[in-house]
Amino acid sequence: MSPHHNAPEVVRDLLHTPATWAVVGLGDNPDRTAYHVSLWLQRELGMHLVPVHPSAATVHGATGYARLADIPDGTVVKVVDCFVNSAHVGAVVDEAIAERDRLGIEALWLQLGVVDEAAAQRAEAAGLAVVMDTCPKIEWPRIQPGDGADAVTG
């Protein structure tokens, strides 16, 4: 199995195209990284959020759901952003694959430190784009025009 490589054009598209992001691991705890990064996605990039967390809490004004499968029909989710431990992300990836057609999922973003090569391969085989082991807030400055956007790594 060859290691996953984050495609700069995928990162650029995901961060420059306003869309709905289901943020798995986003609860209402302001001490968590997911809380701050998702708020940045919402305020700075104009992304619509769908929090996904066992508590199903409303976060940043967005209704939460316990699982991707609980998100209502008719909701289009472009990106599933995973703030979960690497040991558990495979199950999230598999659920995203299962819900892909119903929710219109196009991509998975595995946050900084979240790595599962086998899950990334399953997602790509199912037709999903994958960004792994990085954060949108880290990638954003790298993809700005004239800054060597091809330097995105993963």
Side-chain angles (χ1 to χ4, degrees):
M1 173 182 348
S2 63
H4 175 79
H5 175 75
N6 294 329
E9 63 276 7
V10 170
V11 171
R12 194 175 302 111
D13 174 65
L14 295 179
L15 296 182
H16 278 284
T17 306
T20 298
W21 287 46
V23 184
V24 180
L26 174 57
D28 59 359
N29 182 346
D31 295 330
R32 305 292 297 190
T33 303
Y35 188 91
H36 296 284
V37 171
S38 61
L39 185 60
W40 178 84
L41 284 166
Q42 184 184 59
R43 288 186 179 170
E44 299 300 320
L45 301 188
M47 302 303 176
H48 177 72
L49 303 176
V50 177
V52 179
H53 186 277
S55 68
T58 295
V59 185
H60 309 313
T63 301
Y65 299 93
R67 304 174 307 135
L68 291 171
D70 295 335
I71 297 172
D73 289 350
T75 304
V76 176
V77 172
K78 181 175 182 175
V79 182
V80 175
D81 188 4
C82 302
F83 280 93
V84 297
N85 185 290
S86 295
H88 303 293
V89 78
V92 175
V93 169
D94 292 340
E95 186 179 16
I97 291 167
E99 297 295 329
R100 175 185 158 216
D101 292 338
R102 186 179 71 83
L103 295 175
I105 299 168
E106 297 178 17
L108 286 157
W109 191 298
L110 281 61
Q111 283 291 330
L112 189 64
V114 181
V115 177
D116 185 329
E117 296 288 348
Q121 283 193 337
R122 289 194 307 275
E124 288 173 339
L128 297 171
V130 177
V131 176
M132 184 165 60
D133 192 22
T134 192
C135 177
K137 286 183 77 171
I138 292 171
E139 296 303 330
W140 180 250
R142 296 180 187 180
I143 63 165
Q144 297 311 300
D147 67 353
D150 293 329
V152 175
T153 59

